Amino acid sequence: QVQLVESGGGLVQAGGSLTLSCAASGRTVSRAAMAWFRQPPGKEREFVAGSNWSGGTAMYADTVQGRFTMSRNNAKNTVYLQMNSLKPEDTAVYYCASGPMAYGLVPSEVRYFGYWGQGTQVTVSS
């Protein structure tokens, strides 16, 4: 059974930083497509960052490009999302997702990912 557990969310002022963690069990993250999504209040879930396997280049949404960095620690079977220069519009519940290892384009659609964490709230105050 695959389980994803996010942590690291919280309340931060605009311009601040947070690092989210996603600890996986039942699946080796180095051989899976992993991604971060977020769901702002009253809006649909949207892609934030992802990579199709451990050695693949991460892809980012335009809204976070240059501010967020996704990384993996294979030894800990954990994926991270380093978020810098946070803005109030980054406020959302952030989800970690896992899907089959992909080749070529980085998966960015919700329907590709079969496993999801419970989400962690990130609130950025102005």
Side-chain angles (χ1 to χ4, degrees):
Q1 175 127 6
V2 177
Q3 284 192 317
L4 304 174
V5 179
E6 301 101 334
S7 61
L11 174 64
V12 64
Q13 288 189 331
S17 299
L18 282 175
T19 299
L20 305 183
S21 300
C22 172
S25 60
R27 165 163 283 186
T28 302
V29 299
S30 63
R31 296 185 57 80
M34 300 295 297
W36 289 94
F37 286 78
R38 67 186 182 187
Q39 188 162 13
K43 296 184 178 180
E44 294 187 349
R45 198 167 295 190
E46 62 186 24
F47 174 82
V48 174
S51 64
N52 51 18
W53 65 292
S54 182
T57 301
M59 183 179 79
Y60 300 91
D62 290 344
T63 52
V64 306
Q65 181 75 46
R67 300 187 297 121
F68 290 12
T69 303
M70 179 179 175
S71 62
R72 306 186 189 207
N73 183 323
N74 293 335
K76 295 185 176 181
N77 213 34
T78 299
V79 178
Y80 304 94
L81 185 68
Q82 173 70 42
M83 306 185 294
N84 298 326
S85 302
L86 283 161
K87 304 175 181 180
E89 51 264 43
D90 293 320
T91 295
V93 178
Y94 283 72
Y95 296 91
C96 175
S98 178
M101 187 169 65
Y103 299 92
L105 294 178
V106 173
S108 61
E109 295 188 2
V110 170
R111 61 184 178 181
Y112 182 86
F113 297 90
Y115 299 100
W116 295 82
Q118 81 287 353
T120 185
Q121 177 70 46
V122 172
T123 302
V124 184
S125 63
S126 56

